[in-house]
Amino acid sequence: MDIGKKIKEARKGAGMTQKELAEKLGVYAKDICRWETGERTPSLQLFTELCKCLKVSADSILEL
């Protein structure tokens, strides 16, 4: 599974909408959409915050 799908899965598992997650991270909902579709990837700093917000490990998203 690719990173975008894992982000989407984790977001849904946390019970958040793209808009809610975007607000917590200080980005646009369109950014979340782009990450989930694989069009773009979050910066390392945002990826760290994303994992904290979703309460998942980076390993689980990166499948390490």
Side-chain angles (χ1 to χ4, degrees), residues 2 5-6 8 11-12 16 21 26 32 35 37 39 47 53 55:
D2 65 37
K5 289 180 183 177
K6 296 296 281 185
K8 183 175 183 176
R11 177 183 56 78
K12 287 188 171 199
M16 283 189 203
L21 180 57
I32 305 299
W35 298 344
T37 61
E39 186 178 329
F47 183 71
C53 284
K55 297 183 175 142

Side-chain angles (χ1 to χ4, degrees), residues 5-59:
K5 289 180 183 177
K6 296 296 281 185
I7 291 172
K8 183 175 183 176
E9 184 179 275
R11 177 183 56 78
K12 287 188 171 199
M16 283 189 203
T17 65
Q18 288 181 346
K19 183 179 178 184
E20 290 169 333
L21 180 57
E23 288 173 358
K24 286 185 178 250
L25 295 174
V27 299
Y28 296 106
K30 187 71 175 173
D31 293 323
I32 305 299
C33 179
R34 288 177 177 148
W35 298 344
E36 291 181 357
T37 61
E39 186 178 329
R40 297 201 178 173
T41 55
S43 68
L44 183 57
Q45 181 179 4
L46 281 172
F47 183 71
T48 302
E49 291 302 313
L50 171 84
C51 291
K52 288 179 186 176
C53 284
L54 298 177
K55 297 183 175 142
V56 295
S57 70
D59 290 354

